[in-house]
Amino acid sequence: MIAIEHLSKRFKTAAGKDHLALSDINLELKSGEFVSIIGPSGCGKSTLLYMIGGFIPASEGRILIDGKPVAGPGPDRGPVFQEFALFAWKTVLQNIAYGLRLQGKSKAEAEARARVLLKMVGLERFANFYPKELSGGMKQRVAIARTLAYDPQTLLMDEPFGALDAHTRTHLQRDLLQIWEEHRKTVLFVTHSVEEAVYLSDRVIVMAAGPGRIDRIIPIELDRPRQRSELMFDRRYQEYITQIEGMIDAFETEAA
Amino acid sequence: MTRHIPSICAGVALLLLWEIAHRSFGLSGLPGPVSAFRALPELLSDGDALYDIAQSLQRMAAGYLLAAVFGISFGLLMGTSPLAERLLNPLIMMIYPIPKAALMPILMIWLGIGDASKILVIFLGSSLPIIYHAWQGGRSVSQIVVWSAAAMGMGPVQRLFRIVLPAALPEIFIGLRTGLILALITMVVSEIVARSNGIGNLLFNSMDMALYDRMFAAIIIIAAMGYVLDLIFEAIRTRFLRWSDSGEHIQVAVG
Amino acid sequence: MTANSKLIGLVPILGLVLLWGWLAASGMAPRALLPSPVDVVQRLFELLADPDFLAQIGTTLFRLVSGFLIALVLGTVLAVLSASSEVTQTAVNAFVRILAPLPKIALYPAMILILGFGHSSKIALVVIEAAFPIYLATYQGMRNVDKKLVWAARSAGASRLHCLLFVMLPAAAPSILTGARVALVISCIVVFLSEMMSSTEGLGYVLIDAARNFRTIDMFVPIILISALGLGLGAGLSALRRKLLVGYPQD
């Protein structure tokens, strides 16, 4: 379980002024929950994710994971970035085996496990390719497999499908849901797409900017496993989307 | 001011290191910084030494300015004409690794040990990076901007001076800076090879005559030349690039 | 580039050689001042068969390669040190800012007096000239590494040191190798000049020795050789770069 208590983040601007990026965030994530964060640009949603990852320190407040405060990055929380962040000098297989090798597994053991994951993301034919030889969607599949390889309890996904075309995006959303149904990891998913958030999540956190804060948390009470083709005709699904779209529109008019 | 503190500390640390090396080696060839700096006023009040330094700077200025004019025109030609680029690129790549200062002995035989050979070698030593960066700068100018300027009725000469040159200026300055450093180095080397006068001559003559304090004073003078030229160059660059920034705004309006 | 457009680049090079040949043949320039290109090439092959001359090349190569390799290690180590923390970064860069504008060649007499007239003073000059471009390229390269690459590694359980050496350093490899190429050409030039200014062996010395005895033809040969050495080593490094950077996106 992840508990976020009175979390704030201040930055120094170039002019030397204090900028409050996040103000008094309070949130609890249950184990195995799929939660999306959505909000206008500048609301600090990625910053929040990076603080949970332990990549940047909090200014005030704390983050507890199973009761222990976060002090830095760790293999219990696996990030997936929009930019893929794959190691260009390693092959697909070596990328996926990376975390396992760090944990002291033998090369053979790590690669055997990497092959299982590669099969799971449907790229077994590309084991010996370099990342630059793959399309954007394939790169993100590799990145997800690399993170799943060291078996984190939580996945921290920072607009993971934001750089992909619509078609690839739909495929990856479906596959991600399938993997999640199977492994039931806690997922924190930052996105710009309301539709994506509603389709994937148990709860959608709507954030507002200036300073970044949680405006509302909306439970998505749709049955699982979800089929996108069925949801399209589900009135509740459409209502969720319209409701959240409306809230974000209102923030943006307010800001402008 | 506070951002200079680390550099000042580093400078002091280097002087201390020098002093420590002086004391621990105990070589006559390595006097301490104190005696080297003490030899400095003596050297600078010596008319011959001042003449040497003036001669050096004069030749360097002549060679460098020639290289700047030639290099920028040549580089921009390559950057704007694909034919010139294809024609000259292999030649430039071939000349690049030739140690230009090594041509000094041959040039001496041809032109004598006077100013002509030294100015020519400084010119050769500093022009290549200037050509190279002017070429890259000219290449990077957006073709669309040039086309729209042409569509607005700008002639080729106007386009060169009002569009291409300002847009290539930041890159040209990179070349000019590298060229300046090379001009200084080539100048010193040319004077060491063809010893008639100049600061390089002063440096090696002091070594040969075992006037080590004087030799280190000459090193300090050459180092100071490096710093002063660097400062002057930075000042000019900031001035020009401020102007080129406003030039870029014009470009945006044109594009 | 097509073969045709490459060929066109040979025109000015051939033109220059022909002009040289014509100048030498026309008698406008006395042979003692300007030997013909044919004579120079002939002399080049003659000398390449001479074991004494090969030993001179060997000396230059030894100084060049050892100086370059020391500079490569020194520049890279300093860059890693600089990238490892704010404090080391400020400290290393303070020294770099002081030493970079200094014409290092001016320190050469001091190196001779401290290290002697042999190999070490030449190697030392090569090291301080070549270490700067390598340091700067590596430092810039490591600074520009995507932070998220490091974050991904840290999450997988990598230590800070591991990230520095096995994530940031390889990610900066393209930039390091570009710096190394620049440094290699500089090393070639510097080792030659150092031998010209004071040495009793090496290609630079061959040039000065020929100049003292007014053997013009023997002055052309070492200059051509050191340039060819620079071109050849540079091409070798480029080939190595393509091999090493097989997975990296093209720049």
Side-chain angles (χ1 to χ4, degrees):
Chain A
M1 196 189 74
I2 300 176
I4 298 166
E5 298 171 351
H6 304 293
L7 192 72
S8 296
K9 180 70 190 174
R10 285 169 210 284
F11 288 113
K12 275 256 188 293
T13 60
K17 280 191 180 160
D18 247 8
H19 169 70
L20 189 59
L22 280 174
S23 164
D24 195 29
I25 304 286
N26 291 286
L27 184 66
E28 259 185 31
L29 299 178
K30 289 189 279 290
S31 284
E33 200 180 15
F34 199 126
V35 176
S36 288
I37 309 179
I38 198 157
S41 25
C43 69
K45 51 190 188 295
S46 292
T47 307
L48 176 59
L49 197 79
Y50 298 159
M51 285 199 287
I52 298 171
F55 309 130
I56 54 177
S59 305
E60 285 145 45
R62 56 181 190 163
I63 300 164
L64 298 170
I65 293 176
D66 296 330
K68 272 180 273 169
V70 165
D76 55 327
R77 288 147 290 144
V80 176
F81 299 108
Q82 183 179 6
E83 302 87 345
F84 320 129
L86 294 172
F87 304 127
W89 56 95
K90 289 180 188 287
T91 62
V92 165
L93 196 69
Q94 290 166 342
N95 261 287
I96 299 175
Y98 177 75
L100 297 164
R101 296 283 286 146
L102 277 177
Q103 286 171 7
K105 297 245 182 345
S106 74
K107 195 170 174 223
E109 200 182 339
E111 287 193 350
R113 168 111 177 98
R115 278 186 200 282
V116 174
L117 283 150
L118 206 51
K119 191 153 187 238
M120 185 165 88
V121 294
L123 289 174
E124 58 265 61
R125 288 197 302 116
F126 296 92
N128 295 318
F129 282 54
Y130 282 102
K132 76 162 178 187
E133 296 164 311
L134 306 182
S135 70
M138 288 153 87
K139 280 183 198 160
Q140 197 56 290
R141 284 170 192 272
V142 176
I144 291 172
R146 178 181 65 181
T147 301
L148 288 174
Y150 53 85
D151 201 26
Q153 288 152 15
T154 308
L155 286 180
L156 302 172
M157 306 187 86
D158 182 24
E159 296 187 44
F161 308 143
L164 308 177
D165 65 76
H167 184 71
T168 315
R169 205 180 164 117
T170 331
H171 272 279
L172 275 163
Q173 287 168 351
R174 187 198 57 203
D175 293 354
L176 175 66
L177 266 192
Q178 222 167 46
I179 292 169
W180 178 77
E181 295 280 0
E182 221 175 286
H183 299 271
R184 286 286 167 168
K185 295 190 180 302
T186 315
V187 179
L188 196 57
F189 192 101
V190 167
T191 176
H192 263 120
S193 158
V194 175
E195 213 228 304
E196 182 172 73
V198 174
Y199 169 41
L200 298 173
S201 315
D202 296 322
R203 285 191 291 163
V204 174
I205 296 167
V206 183
M207 288 183 68
R213 61 195 185 275
I214 294 178
D215 186 80
R216 209 169 310 177
I217 298 176
I218 297 165
I220 307 294
E221 284 153 349
L222 298 169
D223 301 335
R224 295 202 187 254
R226 294 175 188 165
Q227 289 291 328
R228 194 190 184 82
S229 49
E230 286 167 20
L231 284 177
M232 299 294 254
F233 299 100
D234 192 322
R235 228 172 46 96
R236 287 175 305 163
Y237 178 66
Q238 290 157 6
E239 276 169 5
Y240 281 129
I241 293 175
T242 335
Q243 181 195 359
I244 299 170
E245 293 271 18
M247 290 167 62
I248 292 171
D249 272 355
F251 295 148
E252 262 153 19
T253 349
E254 214 177 283
Chain B
M1 193 56 216
T2 46
R3 69 197 182 88
H4 291 300
I5 289 175
S7 295
I8 294 167
C9 292
V12 173
L14 285 173
L15 288 177
L16 273 175
L17 220 62
W18 180 2
E19 180 66 37
I20 291 167
H22 158 65
R23 290 196 187 172
S24 50
F25 287 152
L27 290 170
S28 65
L30 184 62
V34 178
S35 38
F37 275 99
R38 226 178 250 155
L40 208 52
E42 185 197 328
L43 192 63
L44 287 175
S45 60
D46 178 352
D48 288 348
L50 281 182
Y51 175 76
D52 270 335
I53 296 168
Q55 286 286 310
S56 292
L57 283 174
Q58 231 169 15
R59 285 192 292 259
M60 186 182 150
Y64 177 67
L65 288 179
L66 273 176
V69 172
F70 171 80
I72 293 173
S73 351
F74 217 67
L76 284 182
L77 176 72
M78 285 177 71
T80 47
S81 149
L83 179 68
E85 184 173 19
R86 275 186 309 175
L87 210 55
L88 299 170
N89 182 17
L91 184 67
I92 302 269
M93 289 303 137
M94 202 184 75
I95 298 176
Y96 196 74
I98 298 179
K100 291 351 150 259
L103 298 173
M104 192 59 203
I106 296 181
L107 296 177
M108 262 160 62
I109 293 184
W110 290 348
L111 304 170
I113 59 165
D115 286 351
S117 57
K118 287 172 187 158
I119 292 174
L120 181 61
V121 85
I122 292 167
F123 164 79
L124 291 173
S126 54
S127 48
L128 264 192
I130 302 178
I131 295 177
Y132 180 80
H133 286 280
W135 166 31
Q136 296 301 323
R139 253 162 65 120
S140 67
V141 180
S142 152
Q143 199 62 51
I144 297 161
V145 177
V146 178
W147 282 337
S148 32
M152 285 169 63
M154 268 198 199
V157 178
Q158 239 187 332
R159 286 205 299 267
L160 182 66
F161 281 99
R162 293 188 43 190
I163 308 286
V164 177
L165 189 63
L169 213 56
E171 186 73 29
I172 288 176
F173 268 105
I174 297 177
L176 284 175
R177 191 201 185 100
T178 314
L180 185 67
I181 297 166
L182 284 173
L184 183 60
I185 294 172
T186 317
M187 181 262 279
V188 174
V189 176
S190 76
E191 292 168 353
I192 294 169
V193 173
R195 297 206 205 162
S196 51
N197 57 35
I199 183 78
N201 178 46
L202 186 74
L203 177 68
F204 263 64
N205 269 355
S206 311
M207 179 171 83
D208 291 347
M209 293 189 292
L211 298 170
Y212 297 130
D213 290 350
R214 198 176 153 96
M215 182 190 103
F216 275 88
I219 293 178
I220 293 170
I221 291 173
I222 297 174
M225 278 181 178
Y227 291 123
V228 171
L229 286 172
D230 205 58
L231 280 177
I232 296 173
F233 186 87
E234 249 338 274
I236 295 175
R237 195 182 71 104
T238 332
R239 228 188 113 91
F240 266 90
L241 284 190
R242 203 176 291 147
W243 165 74
S244 106
D245 270 342
S246 62
E248 267 168 23
H249 290 306
I250 295 166
Q251 253 185 63
V252 171
V254 170
Chain C
M1 231 189 254
T2 63
N4 214 350
S5 68
K6 265 190 181 159
L7 282 180
I8 204 176
L10 289 177
V11 173
I13 297 173
L14 284 175
L16 272 180
V17 175
L18 284 175
L19 179 73
W20 172 14
W22 176 76
L23 268 175
S26 71
M28 260 188 291
R31 255 182 114 79
L33 289 188
L34 186 70
S36 83
V38 180
D39 289 347
V40 171
V41 172
Q42 243 169 23
R43 182 73 183 143
L44 176 67
F45 282 109
E46 233 174 85
L47 283 173
L48 282 179
D50 176 358
D52 285 346
F53 187 75
L54 289 179
Q56 307 282 18
I57 299 180
T59 302
T60 302
L61 260 179
F62 167 70
R63 292 167 174 172
L64 163 68
V65 172
S66 37
F68 171 73
L69 289 180
I70 295 171
L72 188 63
V73 173
L74 184 69
T76 314
V77 168
L78 282 176
V80 171
L81 202 65
S82 188
S84 67
S85 81
E86 295 263 332
V87 178
T88 49
Q89 181 182 327
T90 313
V92 175
N93 280 340
F95 281 98
V96 169
R97 219 167 287 139
I98 287 277
L99 292 173
L102 185 100
K104 264 72 76 192
I105 208 115
L107 296 175
Y108 185 47
M111 290 174 182
I112 295 175
L113 292 178
I114 298 168
L115 301 170
F117 285 85
H119 291 317
S120 30
S121 57
K122 279 94 199 157
I123 292 172
L125 187 65
V126 171
V127 170
I128 53 168
E129 290 272 17
F132 279 94
I134 293 170
Y135 168 77
L136 288 173
T138 309
Y139 172 69
Q140 290 294 346
M142 290 181 79
R143 265 177 72 101
N144 291 338
V145 170
D146 187 356
K147 248 191 296 183
K148 289 172 185 167
L149 219 51
V150 177
W151 291 355
R154 295 273 288 145
S155 291
S159 67
R160 266 175 211 285
L161 184 68
H162 176 101
C163 279
L164 206 58
L165 296 179
F166 300 110
V167 177
M168 290 174 74
L169 202 57
S175 161
I176 299 171
L177 286 166
T178 306
R181 227 206 122 149
V182 173
L184 190 61
V185 175
I186 292 179
S187 306
C188 271
I189 294 176
V190 168
V191 76
F192 194 80
L193 295 182
S194 73
E195 289 174 351
M196 277 174 68
M197 287 185 284
S198 116
S199 181
T200 49
E201 47 181 345
L203 280 174
Y205 166 73
V206 172
L207 170 68
I208 286 299
D209 188 49
R212 280 192 197 124
N213 299 303
F214 287 100
R215 280 181 285 122
T216 324
I217 191 164
D218 286 350
M219 297 166 68
F220 279 79
V221 172
I223 292 181
I224 290 174
L225 267 180
I226 192 73
S227 310
L229 215 57
L231 275 178
L233 290 173
L237 198 63
S238 291
L240 183 70
R241 183 194 154 106
R242 269 194 300 280
K243 242 188 137 133
L244 287 177
L245 301 187
V246 60
Y248 292 76
Q250 244 75 43
D251 45 9

